[in-house]
Structure formats: C-alpha cells, structure tokens
Amino acid sequence: MKKCYLLLPLVCITLVAFPQKKADRKTVSNLQLHVAYLASDKLEGRRTGSPGEKLASAYIAEQMKLAGLSPKGEEGYLQTFIVREGKEPGANTKFNINHQAVNPEHYRPLPFSAAKAAKGEVLPGVNEMDNVWLDNVKTWDEKVSPHASPMELYIKKTKEAKKNGATGIVFYNGPEEFSTVTRWLDEKWEPLPIPAVWVGPEASKTLSADDANGFQIEMQVDFKPSKRTGTNVAGYIDNGAATTVVIGAHYDHLGLGEDHNSLAPNEKAIHNGADDNASGTAALLELGRLLKASKLKNNNYLLIAFSGEELGLFGSKYYTENSTIDIRSVNYMVNMDMVGRLSNDKGLQIGGIGTSPSWTGILKSSLPSMLKVSYDSSGTGPSDHTSFYRKDIPVLFFFTGTHADYHKPSDDADKINYDGELTVIKAVYEIIEKTNAQPRLAFTKTREMQMGRSTRFTVTLGIMPDYTYNKGGVRVDGVSDGKPASKAGLATGDVIIQLGSMPVQDVESYMGALSTFKAGDQTTVKVKRGKEEKVFDIRF
C-alpha cells in the first residue's frame, strides 16, 4: 500500500558500512532466505485469500515456531478473518457482442440482476419490446453522484425497462471503475425480473460506435456465492510482564493484480512484492528471533504478520477488534512496511513520533548518528499502525521510501538492500531496548492523515508522489504510462502546485483536491518545472 507521509529531514549524513559481526551476518543471511521465499513466483504475489497467501502464512508460522515464539492466533499461530462475503459471476455467465465473447474483466452483472439469459438484435438508440435494451449512461438527465452509490438509479432504470417490455438491459458509458462494480456484488439486493449487465470502457466503445448498424447481443447471468478470507499470523514471547509491545508487518501483496491495485494494470504478471512487504515480514521474523534470545524481559512481545493490508488494513483492523491478548495491555506498536530499500538519498523514514511524548527522546538516543532520518508526527496513514493508533496506543512506522517498482511486477528480491534492512532492524531493536527500562509510554493524539483509503477517489492522475519532498507542492517521483498525467505531458521532477482551482501545498492537499473529481472531468494542473511554471490540460 502506498505510504503517504510528509516527512521532515532531521539528519542528512551519508550511511557508512562497517564490518559485520557473526550475529549480523546470520541476520542478513536469514533476511535473504525469508525474502527469497516470500517473494518467489511459487507464492504468486501473496494475494489475500489466495493459495500463495496460505503458503506464506504457513512459512511465517513455522519460522515463529523455530524461533521459540508461542502461538497467539485463534487456531495456533493463525487468525482468519473475512475480507468479503457476497457473490460473484458463475461459470455460465457470458456477454457476447456480434457473437464475440467480451472479456469477463470488461463487464459485470449487476447485483440485482435476474439469473437469466436474454438475446436479441438491437438497433442503437432503439428500445423495443421483447428485446434487449442498451442504456447509455452518459445521456441520462439524472446524474450519478460521485459521492454516493448509483445503485438505486440503475435499479430504477432496470425497472422502467422491464415495465416497457425489455427482456434484458445493458448499461454502458457508466462513470464507475470496474473494481467499484465488482464490490457492488457484496451488497444484498432483491433480484429484478430481467438480467442487467454493466460494461466497461472497452465494450462501451463498441456500443457507442457511430457507424454501427446493429448489434447481436447475447447475455446470460449466473451467480455463485463467494467468501474471501485472509489470515493473520501471531507469535508471542511471554515474559510475565504487565505490558506487551506489538511488532507488526503485513505480508500480503497484489497477486496478479486481480484487485486492480497494480500500477502496471495491463500486465498480468506475478507481483512478488519483495519490498512491499516481504522486507518488513522478514524483519519481523528476525526481530522475533532476536527478542526471544534477549534479556529484555520488562515487556511481553507480540509479533503479528498481517494480511489484507493492501485491501484496506483488513487484518490489523480485525486483530484490534478481536485481539488474542488484552488490547489494553499494549505498551506501543511498531509497524515495518517497505523497509528494504534504504538509501543515502531518502534514508529511514519514521512516522508516529507524535503519538507519545517519550518518542523524541527515545529516538534521539537510539539511532546511529550516520543514519539519515526523516520524521512525521501523525499516528495515522494507510498502513497497519493506524489500527492500533485508533485504540489510543502509541505507534511508530518504519519505511525506507517509495520507488519505481512500487506495486509493479518488478519489485523483486534482487533489489533489496539487505545490509540496509539490517540497519533498520538494529534501529528497532535499540528502541525496544531503550523502552525496556522505562515505564509504560503515555499516548497522545496527533493530526489525522486525510488521504489514501480515508479519502474517496473515483479517478487517478497517474503520478507517484515523492513523500519525502517538503518544499511546497507535490514532486512527481514517477509517471504511469497511459494515465492522465502522462497523456498531458507531466514528467518526473515536476512539482504540482495547483489542481483545478485548488492550490497544492503538500500530499494531503493534493489528495483532497483529487477526491473532488470524477471520471470524464476536465481540468488543469499547474506545475513548477525548474524555474518555469507550466499549465497542462487534464482529462480524467
């Protein structure tokens, strides 16, 4: 998941490599083994609920057992939770135009559709009795609101079509994303008497063709029940202490991009997620091994590998509501998400320092002076520490920065900086050691990060922000091919200072501005390119 932090540089000194001790060499070797397995093609991207996720959870549980951690899930080390429960298109579902099957990724039956078949020869713009109707959403006088589900309007149109003799209805040129319509299938609606299908941009283009004389439409809707689950993995070090330190990292990733959260959406390839977040999971396992062998006994330690993070913090949210320890006993939580690309340029980024008045002093005395560190105060953001912050628990978030391989199939194990990851592990261990001699940390509330999944989006500009940039505006760290920014001419290094009529001071204001647009909207984006200001026309 993208890490949205505005980080203020504190120390900017080049990292220095030192000869490693035998124990360090063992840690680095273990990190390599963990990441090599978790990011291997065998696990097919560790998509939540997939066989690859199950292989990963079994591996993590076995490594916790080997390290001497006690099981602290609900079934041994494992804790299963529901991601979604609804229905999905069944095996008999089909949609053909002129006897050509439309790719199932380009259409969806609507959740109120009848499980029936319908066919007919349809003339564009002509809705006949006892025939399939085509309904162009762009021509509606009633507009679909981007801030609410348009389902009631689709139902209304389907009822009207049935009343006037339609045997089935096809909606095209709708503003929704395919992923949005897929999520609608989780909602429960009473079925209507005729089949109803939503088609995406590819099929909509065919149905909108000016030179079309008519279409042979064949449709059949079939549903089957669907239940998707994820699995957290939890191990425990019981020191008989009154308080527990939670150390977490998510281990799920994007699979083949089936959930439409890849930044290479046209490439059906395994997204191995070596940095995101096999790196954090490997660090979690090594910290568990080190803490089990340590003399740090004034806290218990709960180590959790979360799933469902890429879908919206499902695993950590579930755990904090169904914790296997008394959640009130948690001293603080440390989250490691994408810690495998430590570099001299971006250094180590630590969020959540405002969640306890103790953090500033602890961090100051714990981190090596040669390490470049950036800090952020907020306890929230689109990663798993947010779920614990919501329970009034102090948190820290460790992150080594985004990169061009983020959410792409190219995030592979050979790009991990294992020595850098050792530096992160040592930093976390040193912090844990410092708190071992201190009383329980006090909690303080911080500002909210109003972005990521907490903001409602129906469009994307197609840029990767540089989250470490703090000189006003949002610096573009990458541009996705085929997206609005690329089509308009934005380039890496541009600094966005205005989107539409809304000024952009930082990532937060950029996200807020972006959330006001919907598919089809046209606007402008103003950027600084070197010493010049340029304005580009954008169409979402």
Side-chain angles (χ1 to χ4, degrees), residues 46-185:
R46 309 185 308 276
R47 179 176 179 249
T48 300
S50 70
E53 184 224 38
K54 299 298 184 289
L55 288 173
S57 65
Y59 175 85
I60 295 164
E62 180 63 20
Q63 293 300 313
M64 288 182 173
K65 181 179 180 181
L66 290 172
L69 276 62
S70 302
K72 208 63 175 178
E74 293 169 348
E75 300 176 27
Y77 292 93
L78 308 182
Q79 180 190 54
T80 302
F81 56 90
I82 295 174
V83 174
R84 62 174 294 270
E85 190 168 17
K87 56 189 176 183
E88 61 185 48
N92 295 324
T93 296
K94 68 177 183 179
F95 183 69
N96 299 344
I97 301 176
N98 296 333
H99 308 296
Q100 296 293 315
V102 176
N103 187 323
E105 291 291 303
H106 296 163
Y107 74 93
R108 274 288 181 261
L110 289 164
F112 54 81
S113 172
K116 291 182 179 179
K119 63 180 181 179
E121 184 173 350
V122 183
L123 297 174
V126 178
N127 291 327
E128 301 175 314
M129 290 188 65
D130 299 320
N131 203 356
V132 174
W133 284 24
L134 302 179
D135 196 331
N136 185 351
V137 178
K138 278 187 177 179
T139 65
W140 290 357
D141 291 331
E142 302 157 282
K143 299 300 181 185
V144 177
S145 168
H147 303 298
S149 171
M151 191 67 66
E152 294 290 351
L153 199 47
Y154 280 105
I155 290 173
K156 177 183 176 184
K157 295 289 185 179
T158 302
K159 287 180 176 179
E160 290 174 354
K162 169 60 181 173
K163 183 178 180 180
N164 288 286
T167 57
I169 188 165
V170 179
F171 295 100
Y172 65 102
N173 285 331
E176 301 82 19
E177 295 285 339
F178 178 86
S179 56
T180 301
V181 181
T182 299
R183 287 195 296 271
W184 289 349
L185 292 174

Side-chain angles (χ1 to χ4, degrees), residues 13-73:
I13 301 174
T14 302
L15 302 179
V16 179
F18 293 104
Q20 290 180 353
K21 299 177 182 178
K22 183 178 179 180
D24 291 343
R25 291 197 298 273
K26 177 176 175 59
T27 299
V28 169
S29 177
N30 287 348
L31 289 173
Q32 292 170 330
L33 292 172
H34 297 325
V35 174
Y37 180 77
L38 293 169
S40 66
D41 285 353
K42 179 180 179 179
L43 272 61
E44 296 185 325
R46 309 185 308 276
R47 179 176 179 249
T48 300
S50 70
E53 184 224 38
K54 299 298 184 289
L55 288 173
S57 65
Y59 175 85
I60 295 164
E62 180 63 20
Q63 293 300 313
M64 288 182 173
K65 181 179 180 181
L66 290 172
L69 276 62
S70 302
K72 208 63 175 178

